[in-house]
Amino acid sequence: MSACVPTRTPDSPHTQRVHPAHNPPRAPHRRFRVAGADVSAAIAVFLIALPLSLGIALATGAPLQAGLVAAAVGGLVAGRIGGSPLQVSGPAAGLTVVTADLIHRYGWRTTCAITVLAGLAQLGLGCLRVARSALAVSPAIVHGMLAGIGVTIAVAQLHIVLGGSPQSAVLDNLRSLPAQLVDLHPAAVAVSALTLVLLLLWPRIPGRMGRLLRKVPAALVAVAGATTTAVFAGLTQPRVELPSWSSHALAGLPEGPVLGLVAAVLTITLVCSVQSLLGAVAVDKLIAARPGVPAVIGRSDLDRELLGQGAANLVSGALGGLPVAGVAVRSSANVRAGAVSRNSTMVHGVLVVAAALLMVPVLELIPLASLAALVMAVGIQMVSLHHIRTVTRHREVPVYAVTTLGVVFLGVLEGVGLGIAVAVAVSMRRLARTRITHDESEGVHHVHVRGQLTFLAVPRLSRALHHVPQGCRVVVELDGSFMDHAAYETLQDWQRTHIAQGGSVELTSRRTGTATDIRTGADPSMDSDTCADTEGVGPDASPAPAVVSADTADSPLAGCRCRPWTPWRNHQCDGPMQAPSPGGRTSGHREGLPVEPSGGEPGGRSSGALLVKAAESTRSATTSGPARSTAPASPTSATAQTGEAEHAKQGEHTDPAEDTERSQPLGAAGSRPSARQLVRGISAFQRNTAPLVRGELARLAREGQQPSQLFLTCADSRVVTSMITSSGPGDLFVVRNVGNLVPPPGEESGDDSVAAAIEYAVDVLKVRSITICGHSGCGAMQALLDTEPGDARTPLQRWLRHGLPSLERMADPGRPWARLAGRAAADAVEQLCLTNVVEQLASLRAHESVARALRAGELELHGMYFHVGEAQAYLLSEAVVGEGGAEVFDHVGVADLSA
């Protein structure tokens, strides 16, 4: 270890022994504590839940106290027992239509009994652990159901907004709407209009004051503002009436036809369960996208969530409350408010109880028209344009439309049933719809199969193959993700016969990325001869059909099969029959780095030995597969790339069925695996990618490059800049060198290639940002740690001297160490990788062109760290670079748009 390596370790206080050595430690006294974040989140959720609970109760026709009972029980019971810690349960707008219909048919006490029975049914389903089955419902059906319920709510509440009373059916409400428009009540319309205006404009208040005011929920502001105005203006209109709790109606024995009651219980169970489980999955996504999430917040246990919802409905129904389900608005508010445990949901329930007991005089001042306007707005928002665009993109508009119309005009259960029927019909049509065409071009017959190849398509496939003449060359292109046994045997038998008659067959697929020789008759799912790079493929990965040319039977790629989820790695497939090298490795298989020949300097460390040792540490530090690292031909390379060159190579499928004839022009070199690999990659680009990017590249050729970013990163082959940044042609100006180093300007015997690239990017290309990206398991940083003082005999050692300031920065006890958000560095190599990014940013600022652009406010600097094994990027913002505190690299989440 070099003398520059720091010897300090992170502070770790030692715990003192407080019990005798041979006695077990006493169990700590557990105290119930509520984090401050949970309290603030509970207050935010309570302020949203209070008016919504009253409004939903008003929309269903139930006693208004029933909404408060459901909100309190949802927070306390479902919050304590449920499997989604941050999901908030209570009366949901999605249950409004169902509950209103039940109250109209059976009365309030029987509706409470139905809620109790639905809770028992949910408990039974939770015990059977079938919660995951509810997620099998098509999202188009769920979105259509919510949209239909939203339309029903909005139409019904519109009558109250206008000062009238709604009917029980949507058609009745629509027929009576013209008469209601003629007979307007000005006080109700004014209060409703004020509520809607506040509801819409409050979240849009600009400026710093707006950010502070927006912390108060818009629903609370709208209802409170309308109530205050109505009180001070002396408007006479119906208001909230909360009777004494002593006269509150509880659940009674169910009365009515048995089949109708059973259907009602099933409806409540279905709607509550599906909405709650889908809400739990959505809350998991919100939590994952939130930075700095505590490790104690795990993923939702859906079976436990179903048990919690069942218990909540049981208690709510017994106490005379509305049905309970997980609600999206309150759950998202809980997550965004910073809740860290289920205590926030429970505290919100306690606040609802306190309000129901202590705030009755204040609640009775709220006009019913204000609550109706609030619920009408919620109903309109349930018809989500985002959902409509999603179902349109996935071609599920018929399912969405039928479900929505069925819910509006027939009912929730009937509409969902129609939606399921249409979804099944659409799926069957897609499975059975297969287009098979046959054409001839330049003596080659092409058979195109577009769609799933099942037994239903076998007659058409046989007819198309029958029209192919004997002895000709045939290309069969399979454009689908599924092939059943009947279609597989049909292709296999025809291919064997056609080859026996002197013809050739090439089977290709642009989508699957899998390959096997269909002539052998081996079932693709039983093929055990895979490529070297198939790690991480679990037993659930189902390979797609065979797609290898019969002409390549003698090719080293015959029998090589790459998985569909890694088509960009197909260029690393090596033939399984290659002879092992004397060292025990298969020839052509790249692992580690070449060691310097024995003729190197005796007793000294060669550059190859340093990087071989670094490669060994890299393999032990990464978990995503065998590490591959290549020593560059020169110490540094500043390369202007558009980003698409890498993206096209990595992102497109390299067809394993390329004829070996393509490599013949290379002469003797054509027989080497590396040459065949290069030609196959270029051929795949010309065939698959070039037609897609030719127009964009032609535009760039005419207009010239105008990249917005300079991206300086390591030459490590695992760091693919275009893939990490999702960039395309013309987006990035890339500089790559060993160790992502930025030599200081003007240094004697320095390197001008990096400085030239920086000057060209800033002064000529006018880039707006520069990013320095380090990565985990960096071989250059390992070599730097292993370098002895005075070692500068090889080009690599002379280049690595530019990293010595990073070593000195890490060894300086007066500087805090750079770290990742949530944890310290895993080892000395990772610590040096992080420190090196910070140090190279400081070196970058010393360049004249960069300093001038920074002073003019025309440039931003960013530090980035990419963990290869986790496929996770971390960003160091410019605000913390150069400050006295510790530099922290925050992880970039799925929904993080700040970068």
Side-chain angles (χ1 to χ4, degrees), residues 586-611:
T586 303
S587 62
H589 184 72
R590 298 174 299 155
E591 182 175 356
L593 289 165
V595 184
E596 291 284 339
S598 57
E601 297 149 302
R605 296 192 179 197
S606 64
S607 59
L610 288 174
L611 285 187

PDB file of all heavy atoms in Angstrom, residues 586-611:
ATOM      1  N   THR A 586     -10.952 -20.219 -22.775  1.00  0.00           N
ATOM      2  CA  THR A 586     -11.348 -20.424 -24.156  1.00  0.00           C
ATOM      3  C   THR A 586     -10.785 -19.301 -25.008  1.00  0.00           C
ATOM      4  O   THR A 586     -10.848 -18.140 -24.651  1.00  0.00           O
ATOM      5  CB  THR A 586     -12.880 -20.444 -24.257  1.00  0.00           C
ATOM      6  OG1 THR A 586     -13.348 -21.470 -23.400  1.00  0.00           O
ATOM      7  CG2 THR A 586     -13.330 -20.709 -25.665  1.00  0.00           C
ATOM      8  N   SER A 587     -10.241 -19.667 -26.155  1.00  0.00           N
ATOM      9  CA  SER A 587      -9.674 -18.644 -27.009  1.00  0.00           C
ATOM     10  C   SER A 587     -10.745 -17.682 -27.451  1.00  0.00           C
ATOM     11  O   SER A 587     -11.837 -18.067 -27.837  1.00  0.00           O
ATOM     12  CB  SER A 587      -9.036 -19.313 -28.245  1.00  0.00           C
ATOM     13  OG  SER A 587     -10.022 -19.995 -28.982  1.00  0.00           O
ATOM     14  N   GLY A 588     -10.389 -16.449 -27.423  1.00  0.00           N
ATOM     15  CA  GLY A 588     -11.330 -15.414 -27.816  1.00  0.00           C
ATOM     16  C   GLY A 588     -12.200 -14.915 -26.697  1.00  0.00           C
ATOM     17  O   GLY A 588     -12.841 -13.908 -26.823  1.00  0.00           O
ATOM     18  N   HIS A 589     -12.225 -15.607 -25.574  1.00  0.00           N
ATOM     19  CA  HIS A 589     -13.056 -15.136 -24.449  1.00  0.00           C
ATOM     20  C   HIS A 589     -12.281 -14.103 -23.672  1.00  0.00           C
ATOM     21  O   HIS A 589     -11.180 -14.362 -23.198  1.00  0.00           O
ATOM     22  CB  HIS A 589     -13.407 -16.327 -23.553  1.00  0.00           C
ATOM     23  CG  HIS A 589     -14.318 -15.954 -22.451  1.00  0.00           C
ATOM     24  ND1 HIS A 589     -15.640 -15.652 -22.662  1.00  0.00           N
ATOM     25  CD2 HIS A 589     -14.115 -15.809 -21.120  1.00  0.00           C
ATOM     26  CE1 HIS A 589     -16.220 -15.366 -21.529  1.00  0.00           C
ATOM     27  NE2 HIS A 589     -15.311 -15.442 -20.570  1.00  0.00           N
ATOM     28  N   ARG A 590     -12.865 -12.938 -23.531  1.00  0.00           N
ATOM     29  CA  ARG A 590     -12.145 -11.822 -22.921  1.00  0.00           C
ATOM     30  C   ARG A 590     -12.461 -11.758 -21.454  1.00  0.00           C
ATOM     31  O   ARG A 590     -13.582 -11.517 -21.067  1.00  0.00           O
ATOM     32  CB  ARG A 590     -12.532 -10.520 -23.609  1.00  0.00           C
ATOM     33  CG  ARG A 590     -12.182 -10.498 -25.070  1.00  0.00           C
ATOM     34  CD  ARG A 590     -12.730  -9.255 -25.695  1.00  0.00           C
ATOM     35  NE  ARG A 590     -14.168  -9.210 -25.572  1.00  0.00           N
ATOM     36  CZ  ARG A 590     -14.869  -8.098 -25.589  1.00  0.00           C
ATOM     37  NH1 ARG A 590     -14.267  -6.948 -25.692  1.00  0.00           N
ATOM     38  NH2 ARG A 590     -16.183  -8.109 -25.489  1.00  0.00           N
ATOM     39  N   GLU A 591     -11.492 -11.960 -20.647  1.00  0.00           N
ATOM     40  CA  GLU A 591     -11.678 -11.791 -19.212  1.00  0.00           C
ATOM     41  C   GLU A 591     -10.369 -11.284 -18.631  1.00  0.00           C
ATOM     42  O   GLU A 591      -9.307 -11.812 -18.888  1.00  0.00           O
ATOM     43  CB  GLU A 591     -12.069 -13.110 -18.556  1.00  0.00           C
ATOM     44  CG  GLU A 591     -12.310 -12.969 -17.062  1.00  0.00           C
ATOM     45  CD  GLU A 591     -12.822 -14.255 -16.461  1.00  0.00           C
ATOM     46  OE1 GLU A 591     -13.049 -15.193 -17.210  1.00  0.00           O
ATOM     47  OE2 GLU A 591     -12.968 -14.297 -15.245  1.00  0.00           O
ATOM     48  N   GLY A 592     -10.431 -10.250 -17.848  1.00  0.00           N
ATOM     49  CA  GLY A 592      -9.230  -9.678 -17.281  1.00  0.00           C
ATOM     50  C   GLY A 592      -8.464  -8.906 -18.319  1.00  0.00           C
ATOM     51  O   GLY A 592      -8.979  -8.428 -19.308  1.00  0.00           O
ATOM     52  N   LEU A 593      -7.128  -8.821 -18.174  1.00  0.00           N
ATOM     53  CA  LEU A 593      -6.302  -8.037 -19.064  1.00  0.00           C
ATOM     54  C   LEU A 593      -5.020  -8.802 -19.353  1.00  0.00           C
ATOM     55  O   LEU A 593      -4.576  -9.614 -18.553  1.00  0.00           O
ATOM     56  CB  LEU A 593      -5.954  -6.687 -18.430  1.00  0.00           C
ATOM     57  CG  LEU A 593      -7.127  -5.726 -18.330  1.00  0.00           C
ATOM     58  CD1 LEU A 593      -6.767  -4.606 -17.387  1.00  0.00           C
ATOM     59  CD2 LEU A 593      -7.459  -5.198 -19.693  1.00  0.00           C
ATOM     60  N   PRO A 594      -4.430  -8.556 -20.505  1.00  0.00           N
ATOM     61  CA  PRO A 594      -3.176  -9.236 -20.807  1.00  0.00           C
ATOM     62  C   PRO A 594      -2.072  -8.807 -19.858  1.00  0.00           C
ATOM     63  O   PRO A 594      -1.930  -7.645 -19.541  1.00  0.00           O
ATOM     64  CB  PRO A 594      -2.887  -8.781 -22.250  1.00  0.00           C
ATOM     65  CG  PRO A 594      -3.640  -7.506 -22.406  1.00  0.00           C
ATOM     66  CD  PRO A 594      -4.850  -7.643 -21.570  1.00  0.00           C
ATOM     67  N   VAL A 595      -1.300  -9.775 -19.405  1.00  0.00           N
ATOM     68  CA  VAL A 595      -0.183  -9.497 -18.500  1.00  0.00           C
ATOM     69  C   VAL A 595       1.052  -9.172 -19.327  1.00  0.00           C
ATOM     70  O   VAL A 595       1.241  -9.677 -20.426  1.00  0.00           O
ATOM     71  CB  VAL A 595       0.069 -10.730 -17.598  1.00  0.00           C
ATOM     72  CG1 VAL A 595       1.162 -10.431 -16.600  1.00  0.00           C
ATOM     73  CG2 VAL A 595      -1.210 -11.147 -16.901  1.00  0.00           C
ATOM     74  N   GLU A 596       1.851  -8.299 -18.800  1.00  0.00           N
ATOM     75  CA  GLU A 596       3.084  -7.941 -19.495  1.00  0.00           C
ATOM     76  C   GLU A 596       3.944  -9.185 -19.700  1.00  0.00           C
ATOM     77  O   GLU A 596       3.982 -10.075 -18.858  1.00  0.00           O
ATOM     78  CB  GLU A 596       3.876  -6.927 -18.658  1.00  0.00           C
ATOM     79  CG  GLU A 596       3.220  -5.564 -18.586  1.00  0.00           C
ATOM     80  CD  GLU A 596       3.411  -4.805 -19.860  1.00  0.00           C
ATOM     81  OE1 GLU A 596       4.334  -5.125 -20.613  1.00  0.00           O
ATOM     82  OE2 GLU A 596       2.614  -3.885 -20.119  1.00  0.00           O
ATOM     83  N   PRO A 597       4.612  -9.301 -20.829  1.00  0.00           N
ATOM     84  CA  PRO A 597       5.490 -10.453 -21.035  1.00  0.00           C
ATOM     85  C   PRO A 597       6.578 -10.513 -19.990  1.00  0.00           C
ATOM     86  O   PRO A 597       6.918  -9.542 -19.333  1.00  0.00           O
ATOM     87  CB  PRO A 597       6.050 -10.209 -22.450  1.00  0.00           C
ATOM     88  CG  PRO A 597       5.841  -8.754 -22.704  1.00  0.00           C
ATOM     89  CD  PRO A 597       4.628  -8.358 -21.945  1.00  0.00           C
ATOM     90  N   SER A 598       7.115 -11.718 -19.860  1.00  0.00           N
ATOM     91  CA  SER A 598       8.112 -11.928 -18.809  1.00  0.00           C
ATOM     92  C   SER A 598       9.374 -11.143 -19.045  1.00  0.00           C
ATOM     93  O   SER A 598      10.214 -11.018 -18.165  1.00  0.00           O
ATOM     94  CB  SER A 598       8.444 -13.428 -18.733  1.00  0.00           C
ATOM     95  OG  SER A 598       8.906 -13.901 -19.999  1.00  0.00           O
ATOM     96  N   GLY A 599       9.489 -10.620 -20.218  1.00  0.00           N
ATOM     97  CA  GLY A 599      10.664  -9.825 -20.487  1.00  0.00           C
ATOM     98  C   GLY A 599      10.616  -8.439 -19.938  1.00  0.00           C
ATOM     99  O   GLY A 599      11.471  -7.622 -20.224  1.00  0.00           O
ATOM    100  N   GLY A 600       9.578  -8.128 -19.118  1.00  0.00           N
ATOM    101  CA  GLY A 600       9.452  -6.795 -18.530  1.00  0.00           C
ATOM    102  C   GLY A 600      10.560  -6.539 -17.536  1.00  0.00           C
ATOM    103  O   GLY A 600      11.450  -7.332 -17.285  1.00  0.00           O
ATOM    104  N   GLU A 601      10.476  -5.395 -16.913  1.00  0.00           N
ATOM    105  CA  GLU A 601      11.524  -4.991 -16.000  1.00  0.00           C
ATOM    106  C   GLU A 601      11.551  -5.888 -14.789  1.00  0.00           C
ATOM    107  O   GLU A 601      10.557  -6.068 -14.119  1.00  0.00           O
ATOM    108  CB  GLU A 601      11.290  -3.537 -15.582  1.00  0.00           C
ATOM    109  CG  GLU A 601      11.384  -2.608 -16.764  1.00  0.00           C
ATOM    110  CD  GLU A 601      10.492  -1.426 -16.610  1.00  0.00           C
ATOM    111  OE1 GLU A 601       9.289  -1.581 -16.460  1.00  0.00           O
ATOM    112  OE2 GLU A 601      11.027  -0.327 -16.634  1.00  0.00           O
ATOM    113  N   PRO A 602      12.636  -6.488 -14.464  1.00  0.00           N
ATOM    114  CA  PRO A 602      12.683  -7.390 -13.326  1.00  0.00           C
ATOM    115  C   PRO A 602      12.491  -6.639 -12.026  1.00  0.00           C
ATOM    116  O   PRO A 602      13.080  -5.610 -11.783  1.00  0.00           O
ATOM    117  CB  PRO A 602      14.090  -8.012 -13.426  1.00  0.00           C
ATOM    118  CG  PRO A 602      14.879  -7.019 -14.208  1.00  0.00           C
ATOM    119  CD  PRO A 602      13.944  -6.337 -15.102  1.00  0.00           C
ATOM    120  N   GLY A 603      11.645  -7.224 -11.188  1.00  0.00           N
ATOM    121  CA  GLY A 603      11.421  -6.647  -9.884  1.00  0.00           C
ATOM    122  C   GLY A 603      10.524  -5.456  -9.874  1.00  0.00           C
ATOM    123  O   GLY A 603      10.113  -5.011  -8.836  1.00  0.00           O
ATOM    124  N   GLY A 604      10.238  -4.888 -10.988  1.00  0.00           N
ATOM    125  CA  GLY A 604       9.348  -3.738 -11.046  1.00  0.00           C
ATOM    126  C   GLY A 604       7.933  -4.158 -11.364  1.00  0.00           C
ATOM    127  O   GLY A 604       7.667  -5.254 -11.786  1.00  0.00           O
ATOM    128  N   ARG A 605       7.007  -3.221 -11.182  1.00  0.00           N
ATOM    129  CA  ARG A 605       5.597  -3.471 -11.495  1.00  0.00           C
ATOM    130  C   ARG A 605       5.317  -2.916 -12.872  1.00  0.00           C
ATOM    131  O   ARG A 605       5.485  -1.736 -13.112  1.00  0.00           O
ATOM    132  CB  ARG A 605       4.680  -2.801 -10.475  1.00  0.00           C
ATOM    133  CG  ARG A 605       4.833  -3.364  -9.089  1.00  0.00           C
ATOM    134  CD  ARG A 605       3.703  -2.868  -8.244  1.00  0.00           C
ATOM    135  NE  ARG A 605       3.785  -3.398  -6.898  1.00  0.00           N
ATOM    136  CZ  ARG A 605       2.779  -3.404  -6.051  1.00  0.00           C
ATOM    137  NH1 ARG A 605       1.629  -2.924  -6.437  1.00  0.00           N
ATOM    138  NH2 ARG A 605       2.901  -3.898  -4.842  1.00  0.00           N
ATOM    139  N   SER A 606       4.889  -3.769 -13.767  1.00  0.00           N
ATOM    140  CA  SER A 606       4.544  -3.313 -15.107  1.00  0.00           C
ATOM    141  C   SER A 606       3.141  -2.755 -15.108  1.00  0.00           C
ATOM    142  O   SER A 606       2.348  -3.013 -14.226  1.00  0.00           O
ATOM    143  CB  SER A 606       4.647  -4.468 -16.101  1.00  0.00           C
ATOM    144  OG  SER A 606       3.694  -5.460 -15.771  1.00  0.00           O
ATOM    145  N   SER A 607       2.834  -1.979 -16.137  1.00  0.00           N
ATOM    146  CA  SER A 607       1.485  -1.410 -16.226  1.00  0.00           C
ATOM    147  C   SER A 607       0.457  -2.505 -16.391  1.00  0.00           C
ATOM    148  O   SER A 607      -0.645  -2.417 -15.857  1.00  0.00           O
ATOM    149  CB  SER A 607       1.427  -0.439 -17.406  1.00  0.00           C
ATOM    150  OG  SER A 607       1.743  -1.111 -18.623  1.00  0.00           O
ATOM    151  N   GLY A 608       0.803  -3.557 -17.135  1.00  0.00           N
ATOM    152  CA  GLY A 608      -0.151  -4.653 -17.283  1.00  0.00           C
ATOM    153  C   GLY A 608      -0.427  -5.322 -15.966  1.00  0.00           C
ATOM    154  O   GLY A 608      -1.569  -5.669 -15.653  1.00  0.00           O
ATOM    155  N   ALA A 609       0.597  -5.519 -15.156  1.00  0.00           N
ATOM    156  CA  ALA A 609       0.391  -6.164 -13.854  1.00  0.00           C
ATOM    157  C   ALA A 609      -0.487  -5.324 -12.958  1.00  0.00           C
ATOM    158  O   ALA A 609      -1.322  -5.832 -12.218  1.00  0.00           O
ATOM    159  CB  ALA A 609       1.748  -6.417 -13.187  1.00  0.00           C
ATOM    160  N   LEU A 610      -0.302  -3.987 -13.033  1.00  0.00           N
ATOM    161  CA  LEU A 610      -1.139  -3.118 -12.208  1.00  0.00           C
ATOM    162  C   LEU A 610      -2.601  -3.243 -12.591  1.00  0.00           C
ATOM    163  O   LEU A 610      -3.475  -3.362 -11.737  1.00  0.00           O
ATOM    164  CB  LEU A 610      -0.683  -1.667 -12.369  1.00  0.00           C
ATOM    165  CG  LEU A 610       0.641  -1.289 -11.709  1.00  0.00           C
ATOM    166  CD1 LEU A 610       1.006   0.133 -12.090  1.00  0.00           C
ATOM    167  CD2 LEU A 610       0.539  -1.425 -10.200  1.00  0.00           C
ATOM    168  N   LEU A 611      -2.882  -3.237 -13.895  1.00  0.00           N
ATOM    169  CA  LEU A 611      -4.281  -3.297 -14.309  1.00  0.00           C
ATOM    170  C   LEU A 611      -4.850  -4.698 -14.172  1.00  0.00           C
ATOM    171  O   LEU A 611      -6.055  -4.855 -14.008  1.00  0.00           O
ATOM    172  CB  LEU A 611      -4.426  -2.801 -15.743  1.00  0.00           C
ATOM    173  CG  LEU A 611      -4.330  -1.293 -15.911  1.00  0.00           C
ATOM    174  CD1 LEU A 611      -4.655  -0.897 -17.335  1.00  0.00           C
ATOM    175  CD2 LEU A 611      -5.251  -0.579 -14.953  1.00  0.00           C
TER     176      LEU A 611
END
